[in-house]
Amino acid sequence: MKKLIFIAAAVFSLTSCMIKTEKKIRTITVSGTGTVQVENKEADLVLSVVSRNEDVVKASEENAERMNAVMRALTESGVGSDSMHTTDYSIWQESHDYGTSKKNVMTYVVSNRIHVNVKNVIDTGRIIDSAIKAGANQMNSLSYSAGNTSEAEKQARILAIRDAEQKANTLVTTSGLTLGHIVNMQESQGGYIERSNYVRLDAKAMATPISSGSTNVSVSVEITYEIK
């Protein structure tokens, strides 16, 4: 009988310990965001040579001649062969209706599109000008990037954690509680804000002005704190 009482007491003691161990802690979860502005260092251009002729062969030959001239001009402007490549080559027909007195005229349109990466954003305007003079007559897009943003990401991460901690402190202290240790933390990378536009180029344009702006590197975190 005494032995059974002893075993029962031991089981009750073990159960009490387990109940204390499994006691849930109170937590609060907040989010924080950090953003660092970085000056853009590179530019990406998409330029086109568009040619029109009633003879498809002549349209194609003219286009090839002008695009070769554009690529030579880009090379002479300091763009490496690894920094430019063709992104699209297409041929289609356009119909021109001159009314009932004349029959419709079919014109062949040949378009050759090239992507150019400008390593130094300061050279962007000069490179655009050289491409225009050589025969490029459309610019389909212009965008910028900050290059290596690893250091900016570190700074943004620190700002995001500080932002979350400040929010948690405000909420907890206002409630008369105390902020404890971090229980869990998750990070999500934000997007980069870039500029882009569509511009139709004029061969008479000179000294094209370019403003590269900046890129916002953003990091968001979600942190769970213990509260006491």
Side-chain angles (χ1 to χ4, degrees), residues 1-227:
M1 187 66 178
K2 289 182 179 180
K3 187 176 292 185
L4 289 173
I5 293 172
F6 176 77
I7 293 172
V11 171
F12 177 77
S13 176
L14 179 61
T15 304
S16 299
C17 291
M18 290 177 65
I19 291 173
K20 289 180 181 178
T21 303
E22 294 176 355
K23 184 179 178 181
K24 292 184 178 180
I25 61 172
R26 294 184 296 176
T27 62
I28 183 172
T29 301
V30 294
S31 61
T33 302
T35 302
V36 175
Q37 195 174 68
V38 184
E39 185 178 352
N40 286 321
K41 298 177 181 177
E42 297 183 5
D44 285 285
L45 319 172
V46 178
L47 302 163
S48 294
V49 171
V50 180
S51 305
R52 288 174 170 82
N53 199 295
E54 293 180 23
D55 186 319
V56 65
V57 175
K58 290 181 180 179
S60 178
E61 289 176 346
E62 178 190 345
N63 190 275
E65 183 179 350
R66 288 168 61 188
M67 179 51 80
N68 284 331
V70 169
M71 295 181 71
R72 283 196 301 270
L74 291 171
T75 301
E76 291 170 1
S77 297
V79 179
S81 58
D82 59 336
S83 296
M84 54 181 170
H85 62 272
T86 300
T87 61
D88 180 71
Y89 184 86
S90 55
I91 301 174
W92 69 92
Q93 285 182 305
E94 286 182 346
S95 176
H96 300 277
D97 187 357
Y98 294 101
T100 56
S101 59
K102 295 182 179 180
K103 65 178 181 178
N104 291 353
V105 176
M106 300 300 295
T107 301
Y108 288 94
V109 183
V110 180
S111 175
N112 193 342
R113 186 176 297 179
I114 184 173
H115 173 270
V116 182
N117 175 248
V118 182
K119 300 296 184 183
N120 189 342
V121 73
I122 297 175
D123 298 329
T124 305
R126 178 177 58 81
I127 288 173
I128 289 175
D129 287 342
S130 65
I132 296 171
K133 293 173 183 177
N137 54 2
Q138 270 192 16
M139 189 166 82
N140 306 89
S141 70
L142 168 60
S143 60
Y144 306 97
S145 65
N148 188 344
T149 59
S150 57
E151 190 59 37
E153 288 173 22
K154 290 179 184 178
Q155 296 176 23
R157 189 172 294 111
I158 292 171
L159 293 175
I161 294 172
R162 288 177 181 172
D163 182 42
E165 185 178 1
Q166 184 178 17
K167 290 177 181 177
N169 265 315
T170 301
L171 291 170
V172 171
T173 55
T174 302
S175 304
L177 301 170
T178 304
L179 193 66
H181 299 293
I182 293 176
V183 176
N184 186 46
M185 181 187 297
Q186 291 183 331
E187 176 189 322
S188 60
Q189 186 85 14
Y192 299 127
I193 303 175
E194 299 180 341
R195 297 180 183 177
S196 61
N197 62 322
Y198 179 90
V199 181
R200 193 170 183 84
L201 302 183
D202 183 353
K204 297 180 181 179
M206 295 295 290
T208 302
I210 292 295
S211 177
S212 62
S214 58
T215 293
N216 289 336
V217 180
S218 181
V219 173
S220 296
V221 295
E222 186 175 88
I223 305 178
T224 300
Y225 293 92
E226 178 185 1
I227 53 176

